Amino acid sequence: MSATNLAVNNRIRVVASFDELVSARFAGDVNALCWPRALAGDFQEIIDTLNASLITSDGMTTIDDDDLRALKLSPAGAAARDVLLADQALLRDAGLAPILDCITGYPRDDAAGVIPTDVYSFHTDSATVEADTYLCTYIGGSSEGLANEAAVRRVDIPETRAQLLSDYGGEDDDGFAAYLSEHCYDLHYAALPGAASYAFGIGNLWRIAIAYPGSPVLPCIHRAPLTPPGAAPRLLLIS
């Protein structure tokens, strides 16, 4: 998605540099910052070369800097590697702890619960202290976002709440609220009829607001892209 299209969404602020991305404060309606980028290099070559020795079949493989430096790559692949190493260095210098994953699929929530709680469901991240989530998809399906006004918490849908209350076996009180939080049910959302999600896009570095006590803004609602069998692997940086 282009910077122009992103700027139309009142929940997103487009920034022009990494320094602006990390220094800007969330306020008002804005709960997502995006640094749009068109990156040089062949990221598919990174995946193809990793696949020969490192990528496992269990869905997610974390790639460290030494793994990247050990790859024998063409100039285009080496350019992509330089981007991956540089992005992680920027985040580490900012006091963050980035992780680079090659993803062929996430675990699905196969439990017979009322609300799915895997990352394919629209959700918000949470913490007990002030924090944000940074992420960038270099190749593969990108994350999706949903404006807060275009969504409803699943626990606030009457039929869903009634079923959860029945499963809980008690009153709709503080204990029930704790039950919802313990199972992360209160972090998951459903899109309202006619709502349209937006793509985070490829190469863009994002910083999104999460739920924590005293946060000045609503958390950013997002989800991972579906990864059907045979889908191309995704290269994701997250912190």
Side-chain angles (χ1 to χ4, degrees), residues 150-164:
V152 59
R153 283 199 315 169
R154 291 184 179 272
V155 298
D156 294 327
I157 299 171
E159 297 83 1
T160 302
R161 193 174 189 87
Q163 182 60 59
L164 289 168

Side-chain angles (χ1 to χ4, degrees), residues 79-104:
R81 172 172 56 197
D82 289 345
V83 170
L84 297 174
L85 293 171
D87 278 354
Q88 292 180 82
L90 283 173
L91 291 168
R92 290 179 186 130
D93 287 346
L96 301 168
I99 296 173
L100 180 66
D101 287 322
C102 185
I103 302 163
T104 55

Side-chain angles (χ1 to χ4, degrees), residues 5-223:
N5 289 335
L6 288 172
V8 171
N9 189 321
N10 69 325
R11 295 289 178 184
I12 302 169
R13 174 179 163 186
V14 175
V15 300
S17 68
F18 181 78
D19 287 344
E20 188 179 0
L21 184 73
V22 297
S23 64
R25 302 294 295 177
F26 288 122
D29 292 333
V30 174
N31 59 12
L33 302 171
C34 175
W35 179 26
R37 307 182 300 172
L39 302 177
D42 186 348
F43 292 93
Q44 184 61 52
E45 184 182 350
I46 298 287
I47 289 178
D48 291 344
T49 309
L50 286 168
N51 193 51
S53 58
L54 289 174
I55 296 176
T56 63
S57 59
D58 60 1
M60 191 173 345
T61 304
T62 297
I63 310 301
D64 64 29
D65 289 1
D66 289 340
D67 294 331
L68 289 173
R69 293 190 179 101
L71 299 179
K72 298 184 183 302
L73 300 167
S74 71
R81 172 172 56 197
D82 289 345
V83 170
L84 297 174
L85 293 171
D87 278 354
Q88 292 180 82
L90 283 173
L91 291 168
R92 290 179 186 130
D93 287 346
L96 301 168
I99 296 173
L100 180 66
D101 287 322
C102 185
I103 302 163
T104 55
Y106 291 99
R108 299 305 301 261
D109 184 0
D110 295 325
V114 179
I115 296 177
T117 56
D118 57 45
V119 295
Y120 295 116
S121 166
F122 278 119
H123 65 280
T124 59
D125 299 335
S126 68
T128 57
V129 297
E130 182 176 354
D132 306 311
T133 296
Y134 289 76
L135 68 164
C136 175
T137 300
Y138 298 99
I139 192 169
S142 77
S143 301
E144 293 178 71
L146 189 64
N148 299 78
E149 57 270 21
V152 59
R153 283 199 315 169
R154 291 184 179 272
V155 298
D156 294 327
I157 299 171
E159 297 83 1
T160 302
R161 193 174 189 87
Q163 182 60 59
L164 289 168
L165 192 58
S166 175
D167 292 346
Y168 171 64
E171 300 296 322
D172 194 342
D173 53 16
D174 289 346
F176 181 52
Y179 167 81
L180 297 178
S181 178
E182 178 184 350
H183 291 84
C184 299
Y185 293 143
D186 57 344
L187 299 179
H188 288 261
Y189 291 75
L192 292 173
S197 62
Y198 60 89
F200 280 36
I202 302 300
N204 302 331
L205 184 57
W206 289 75
R207 174 182 157 211
I208 61 175
I210 72 175
Y212 64 84
S215 173
V217 297
L218 294 172
C220 178
I221 301 170
H222 62 289
R223 69 179 178 187

